[in-house]
Amino acid sequence: MAETKSPWPVLAEQAQAKLAEVEAVLRIAKTHLAEATSHRERIVAMLSEYREKLNGYERQSNLSDSVNCRQFLAQLVNLDVQAQLKVQQMQAAVDLAASRVKAARLDVEKMKKLVERETKRIASDAAKTAQRRMDEMATLRHSYKHA
């Protein structure tokens, strides 16, 4: 009788590969989040800098520079809103990837347990078969002795 191979080791390898894949996606998402956060921090710093410049222009009653600075601040505020949205999107991507990594780790653990269970079952079956053969041999010896 041909023995069938257990599917669990193959499934465990596939689960491990899936885990590696989602961990790579998580690393990339974290990198993108860090970049988006850094970009937003630079914009916020520029906003603060140009607000100070605007206050200085207004104290000096420098109308043309004040108007230009206000226009630039409006553009920076728009950029800040876009950067804030980007940070939120990247954070959502990181959260999603983290949940996928968690699920993949659970799958890997399940597969490992199934592989272990299958290995124990195979060892138990082999031990039972060996014991049955030993019992048959002992019975044959006993019957030959008394024949």
Side-chain angles (χ1 to χ4, degrees), residues 30-49:
K30 283 182 177 181
T31 301
H32 287 213
L33 175 61
E35 290 170 358
T37 303
S38 172
H39 179 67
R40 178 154 190 263
E41 288 171 356
R42 287 191 307 268
I43 291 172
V44 168
M46 286 177 68
L47 271 169
S48 126
E49 176 186 337

Side-chain angles (χ1 to χ4, degrees), residues 88-100:
Q88 290 172 350
Q89 289 172 345
M90 291 299 109
Q91 184 61 52
V94 166
D95 293 343
L96 178 63
S99 68
R100 287 182 177 167

Side-chain angles (χ1 to χ4, degrees), residues 18-102:
K18 177 74 173 175
L19 175 61
E21 179 182 317
V22 293
E23 283 177 338
V25 169
L26 178 61
R27 280 191 301 277
I28 291 169
K30 283 182 177 181
T31 301
H32 287 213
L33 175 61
E35 290 170 358
T37 303
S38 172
H39 179 67
R40 178 154 190 263
E41 288 171 356
R42 287 191 307 268
I43 291 172
V44 168
M46 286 177 68
L47 271 169
S48 126
E49 176 186 337
Y50 277 91
R51 282 186 180 134
E52 289 175 17
K53 284 184 180 184
L54 177 63
N55 288 339
Y57 292 144
E58 287 177 349
R59 275 189 240 121
Q60 296 172 359
S61 299
N62 192 345
L63 189 60
S64 67
D65 287 341
S66 177
V67 169
N68 289 337
C69 192
R70 279 184 190 275
Q71 289 174 344
F72 187 64
L73 274 171
Q75 291 173 349
L76 281 176
V77 168
N78 286 337
L79 278 176
D80 184 41
V81 169
Q82 291 172 1
Q84 206 170 13
L85 289 173
K86 185 72 171 177
V87 167
Q88 290 172 350
Q89 289 172 345
M90 291 299 109
Q91 184 61 52
V94 166
D95 293 343
L96 178 63
S99 68
R100 287 182 177 167
V101 165
K102 185 177 180 181

Side-chain angles (χ1 to χ4, degrees), residues 125-136:
D125 288 350
K128 285 178 186 176
T129 302
Q131 184 62 44
R132 205 174 310 123
R133 286 185 183 151
M134 294 291 282
D135 291 345
E136 289 172 359

